[in-house]
């Protein structure tokens, strides 16, 4: 099964700029740094990488889960550290959705839309709260696609990777594998809360999986669908492919136990493959 977002690689126009935001302002530890690349380690199980780019790219959307009991403190900490929280059209900053959770949004220097979110169903004693904001895991990565591709993309994720779906609409779906929530949206549906146009960012998404057997199953399903993939004999713990022009890599990682989503009591922790 897919367990989590393990690594996200984004493009930036300024390594120093992202370092000032993610390290100096958000206090994410730096795990690697060169003139053209920097890696942050917001939690032990996720790496956020930026490489210097020269091609225009669109901003990405990502969301970090925090414990409900730590949400207000995380929001206050952001305010205390001069992170501009985005407003809804009515002026509010914190959104409470259906009484089951809360979230806030802000942007980095490249315009990437970040979110801190909590859900009342998430069990708080399963994962440690990391850093000044008490992050648990990277929950969401946005995947804008053409309006007529939303259905095909989410069905591929179900068929190929065993994802489950939630909030299934014509222009929006959560495609869920473990703690990883892919936000499959139409480019015609703007990102909340600032009605930001959703375009395809230049990004590589690396998903953690629970076993080599699962990877082998994915390879045969990719074969059956005629989707090319890369899998090197000396790296049997990894397979890379593209879906709807998004580079995706599945990797067997040792740092995230397969039963974490179930222990967190995520509603769709069970997967079909
Ligand atoms: Fe989101």
């Amino acid at each position: 099964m897919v367990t989590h977002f393990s690594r996200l690689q984004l493009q930036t126009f300024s390594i120093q700029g992202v370092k000032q935001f993610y390290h100096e302002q958000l206090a994410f530890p730096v795990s690697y740094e060169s003139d053209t690349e920097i890696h942050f380690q917001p939690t032990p199980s996720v790496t956020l990488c930026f490489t210097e780019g020269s091609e225009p790219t669109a901003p990405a959307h990502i969301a970090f889960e925090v414990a409900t009991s730590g949400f207000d403190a995380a929001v206050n900490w952001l305010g205390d550290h001069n992170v501009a929280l985005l407003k809804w059209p009515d002026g509010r900053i914190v959104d409470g959705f259906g009484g089951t959770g809360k979230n806030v949004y802000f942007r980095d220097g490249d315009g990437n839309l970040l979110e801190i979110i909590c859900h009342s169903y998430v069990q708080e004693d399963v994962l440690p709260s990391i850093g000044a904001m008490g992050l648990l895991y990277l929950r969401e990565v946005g995947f804008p696609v053409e309006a007529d591709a939303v259905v095909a993309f989410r069905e591929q994720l179900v068929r190929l990777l065993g994802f489950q779906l939630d909030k299934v609409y014509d222009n929006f779906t959560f495609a869920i594998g473990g703690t990883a929530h892919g936000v499959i949206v139409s480019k015609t549906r703007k990102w909340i809360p600032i009605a930001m146009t959703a375009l395809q960012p230049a990004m590589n998404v690396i998903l953690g999986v629970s076993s080599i057997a699962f990877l082998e199953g994915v390879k045969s399903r990719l074969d059956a669908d005629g989707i090319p993939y890369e899998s090197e004999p000396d790296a049997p713990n990894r397979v890379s492919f593209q879906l709807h022009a998004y580079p995706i890599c599945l990797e067997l990682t040792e740092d995230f136990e397969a039963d974490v989503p179930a222990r967190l009591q995520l509603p769709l922790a069970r997967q079909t493959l």
Side-chain angles (χ1 to χ4, degrees), residues 1-18:
M1 62 178 272
V2 169
T3 52
H4 67 297
F5 288 120
S6 166
R7 196 159 75 248
L8 180 66
Q9 298 174 335
L10 296 172
Q11 184 182 296
T12 182
F13 301 109
S14 171
I15 297 293
Q16 291 181 34
V18 290

Side-chain angles (χ1 to χ4, degrees), residues 61-63 103 105 115 117 139-140 172 174 183 191-192:
H61 169 56
I62 62 174
N103 59 358
Y105 296 86
E115 177 183 0
I117 191 166
R139 170 188 156 97
E140 291 176 16
F172 182 96
F174 284 125
V183 190
W191 292 120
I192 53 174

Side-chain angles (χ1 to χ4, degrees), residues 219-234:
K219 284 195 237 174
S220 22
R221 291 188 289 277
L222 289 167
D223 276 334
D225 271 21
I227 298 171
Y229 58 84
E230 283 181 33
S231 180
E232 289 156 26
D234 56 350

